[in-house]
Amino acid sequence: MKHKTRTSHKTILALLAAFLLPVLLAWLVLALGWFTPGVKAHGEWVQGQITEDTQWRLVLPVTPECESCELAEPLLENIDLALGRDSNRVSVLRLPVGNGLEAGFVYIADPPGMLIMRYSLSGEEASDRATGKALLGDLRRLLKFSRAG
């Protein structure tokens, strides 16, 4: 009789360990910061609001003295061309600085007018080319999963 109870206790403990040990290890990994979540977005998340529209928008805040804003014009045109068949879902919008918009950045806004992400413009061609690639990748991902616009 003792042998059966000992075996059943071992079985119960083994089952508890099999179910509780992974949960305990996952909690430990997260609590100690050993895991960094894989974020695919390249831009900086922002909050803000602009006017509502039927399309996604690339927003370029402009000021008369902003040199990087002038250099961003061809970049935004190239992004529009690179979108291919999705280019009709995106428009480029130039707005004055203010209401949460800062010069030296390009913003992505969804059709309801929420600002989602922003990308820094440096005014240097190589750096802005990398920014353009990151912006294009994030915009394609947004368009892929969005039914709006």
Side-chain angles (χ1 to χ4, degrees):
M1 189 75 168
K2 285 185 178 182
H3 181 66
K4 280 188 175 182
T5 43
R6 220 180 254 165
T7 305
S8 64
H9 286 299
K10 286 182 182 179
T11 305
I12 291 172
L13 287 175
L15 281 172
L16 280 173
F19 286 105
L20 293 179
L21 190 61
V23 174
L24 181 64
L25 286 174
W27 175 81
L28 187 65
V29 165
L30 289 175
L32 295 177
W34 293 342
F35 174 77
T36 54
V39 176
K40 293 186 177 193
H42 299 98
E44 178 184 345
W45 293 99
V46 294
Q47 291 182 345
Q49 183 78 30
I50 61 171
T51 58
E52 192 172 328
D53 196 358
T54 59
Q55 292 181 315
W56 286 84
R57 282 148 302 161
L58 295 175
V59 181
L60 179 63
V62 293
T63 61
E65 65 274 350
C66 182
E67 291 179 20
S68 62
C69 300
E70 292 175 17
L71 297 174
E73 301 274 342
L75 175 73
L76 295 178
E77 290 173 15
N78 288 340
I79 288 173
D80 192 40
L81 287 173
L83 284 172
R85 66 178 182 186
D86 285 330
S87 66
N88 61 346
R89 296 177 65 191
V90 179
S91 64
V92 177
L93 183 64
R94 289 151 192 86
L95 292 175
V97 172
N99 294 334
L101 298 174
E102 296 178 37
F105 292 95
V106 175
Y107 293 81
I108 296 178
D110 63 2
M114 296 295 296
L115 295 175
I116 298 175
M117 301 181 86
R118 75 177 184 179
Y119 301 83
S120 177
L121 297 170
S122 65
E124 297 174 13
E125 188 176 340
S127 176
D128 285 348
R129 189 176 304 133
T131 299
K133 286 181 182 180
L135 192 152
L136 180 62
D138 287 346
L139 187 58
R140 280 187 174 153
R141 192 173 300 113
L142 286 168
L143 291 172
K144 179 181 177 182
F145 294 112
S146 169
R147 294 183 185 151

